[in-house]
Amino acid sequence: MLVLGIESSCDETALALVRDGALVDAVLASQADIHALFGGVVPELASREHLRYMGALFDELMRRQNLSPAGIDCVAVSRGPGLLGSLLVGTAFAKGLALGTGCRVVGVNHLMAHLLACGLGQELSFPAIGLLVSGGHTSLYCFRDEVTAEALGRTIDDAAGEAFDKSGKILGLSYPGGRLLDELAKMGTPDPALFPRPYLDNANLDFSFSGLKTAAALAARDRLCGLSWPRPLERTEDAPKELCDLCASFNLAVAETLLAKTRRAFARHPEAKTLLLAGGVAANSLVRAAFQRFMAQMRGRLLVPSPALCTDNAAMVAYAGWVYASRGLGHDLAFETVPRGRAVPDDMVLAEGRAGPAPC
Ligand code: KG4
Ligand code: ZN
């Protein structure tokens, strides 16, 4: 089964093809440079850029694979959560394609797509704990199988990626700050006492990262006073050692906080022996290393996508679509697009064969 995946929930326009669970090809246009000018994603600009790129990227993918739209068995699209205007560009494109070719359509929960991406190139195993750490979400799940996940906890304020980006901004790093902060951290020495491990003194599996940006501002005032570097900082070479040390301490605080709540999730679900770790922050070198060590101690399996498949991409959407469609699941053309802040409904239906009205 050949599945086309479409991703447009934030600032990456991406399409990918997955055949029988294996990635065939992918195209992506990032808007990061445009939004960096404003220090964050501008929703109106994002949807306009998606509209500008979507058709051209689709044509490019078809041309590269010598395919026509009729060769696609299923189109899977990120239906949310995300920026509504951006999501609408992807879902409208997917629905148009399904209507035109009669192929099946699946509206994919973007968060589940991140986590299922762990199955690209490696076999998934269940039951599993899922930790999604992205720019908009930090959530823990218990997966019974690929399609059944129970939410265990989530952030009550900022997501981990948001903490990286907001602290990056305070430190004068170019937007989004997460990746550069990680690079600077590799050159620094962490002080384990500099930052708190927030929101651990409770019995739940929720997170709270909003206090870390205030802590970053205070630490910068105390430790970086009198130092200067080009703002926004783009190159690691221009960073003073003290900034690298601060980034290393920040990285450690985030990684240890994520680890503490994940350890708690495993303690409450001893049947789970696998961790699915995904989302943009799963590209972080220290987070990856810390969870690698932790799962080795647990004698369990860590499944984490390659760094390029941790941040937003369409391969994860196509793969999730393949998981659902190969179980006969899909949507009719009326499925809704879900903005950030609203739960994605569990409304897939059994849809045998190709769906949508056949072309006249
Ligand atoms: O999953 P993603 O691409 O988009 C959302 O669905 O939100 O995640 C983007 C987030 C951004 O906050 C970005 O700064 C962060 O992932 N990120 C990182 C790294 N690479 C991307 N954070 C820390 N270390 C990294 N290496
Ligand atoms: Zn994402």
Side-chain angles (χ1 to χ4, degrees):
M1 182 192 302
L2 184 66
V3 182
L4 170 73
I6 301 179
E7 165 58 38
S8 69
S9 66
C10 191
D11 58 350
E12 319 277 8
T13 319
L15 294 97
L17 289 166
V18 160
R19 189 186 296 279
D20 301 331
L23 180 61
V24 176
D25 198 1
V27 285
L28 182 144
S30 175
Q31 308 171 8
D33 289 351
I34 298 169
H35 298 293
L37 298 172
F38 300 90
V41 177
V42 182
E44 175 64 22
L45 269 183
S47 33
R48 288 179 192 213
E49 290 299 294
H50 286 306
L51 199 56
R52 206 153 69 86
Y53 284 115
M54 189 64 73
L57 286 176
F58 176 74
D59 289 345
E60 163 81 2
L61 192 59
M62 293 294 103
R63 192 188 52 72
R64 264 172 29 181
Q65 290 302 316
N66 197 19
L67 268 173
S68 79
I72 298 165
D73 299 305
C74 171
V75 52
V77 58
S78 269
R79 69 181 296 200
L83 301 172
L84 188 59
S86 294
L87 289 165
L88 283 169
V89 176
T91 48
F93 192 88
K95 288 179 182 187
L97 199 62
L99 188 63
T101 65
C103 76
R104 183 181 300 177
V105 64
V106 190
V108 170
N109 179 332
H110 177 85
L111 311 182
M112 290 301 124
H114 267 300
L115 288 159
L116 288 173
C118 293
L120 275 163
Q122 53 196 350
E123 203 175 325
L124 294 170
S125 48
F126 298 96
I129 297 295
L131 173 63
L132 172 68
V133 273
S134 69
H137 295 84
T138 304
S139 307
L140 275 164
Y141 298 89
C142 184
F143 280 80
R144 202 146 26 94
D145 55 40
E146 280 109 322
V147 299
T148 325
E150 177 198 351
L152 303 178
R154 63 195 179 106
T155 179
I156 59 167
D157 42 52
D158 289 354
E162 219 169 337
F164 272 107
D165 296 342
K166 288 179 177 171
S167 301
K169 213 166 181 177
I170 290 167
L171 299 174
L173 313 190
S174 61
Y175 180 87
R179 203 180 49 78
L180 183 57
L181 201 149
D182 185 18
E183 290 302 315
L184 296 173
K186 285 184 204 161
M187 296 157 44
T189 309
D191 171 356
L194 185 57
F195 290 106
R197 310 293 183 259
Y199 207 59
L200 296 186
D201 196 12
N202 52 52
N204 64 43
L205 295 172
D206 292 331
F207 298 92
S208 166
F209 286 108
S210 67
L212 272 186
K213 60 178 185 286
T214 314
L218 295 175
R221 189 195 60 191
D222 292 347
R223 304 227 171 170
L224 306 178
C225 175
L227 297 167
S228 68
W229 54 91
R231 290 172 186 250
L233 183 73
E234 310 223 342
R235 302 168 351 129
T236 51
E237 296 86 333
D238 296 331
K241 171 84 172 72
E242 292 80 354
L243 176 60
C244 299
D245 292 345
L246 195 149
C247 291
S249 308
F250 186 90
N251 229 3
L252 186 65
V254 175
E256 290 191 349
T257 305
L258 294 171
L259 207 51
K261 290 272 166 131
T262 307
R263 186 178 288 120
R264 201 176 284 180
F266 273 102
R268 292 182 191 180
H269 292 273
E271 72 281 12
K273 300 283 180 250
T274 300
L275 176 66
L276 311 179
L277 173 65
V281 177
N284 183 277
S285 54
L286 188 70
V287 169
R288 293 172 86 88
F291 277 95
Q292 201 85 53
R293 267 196 311 276
F294 168 62
M295 289 311 290
Q297 283 161 9
M298 293 266 299
R299 297 182 191 285
R301 276 185 89 203
L302 172 67
L303 296 181
V304 55
S306 64
L309 293 177
C310 285
T311 47
D312 284 347
N313 65 86
M316 66 183 196
V317 182
Y319 181 79
W322 173 78
V323 166
Y324 299 128
S326 55
R327 289 172 175 245
L329 293 166
H331 279 110
D332 62 32
L333 289 173
F335 76 86
E336 269 187 297
T337 303
V338 184
R340 193 177 163 188
R342 257 183 54 201
V344 177
D346 187 8
D347 58 359
M348 269 187 257
V349 290
L350 275 175
E352 281 310 315
R354 293 162 79 93
C360 308

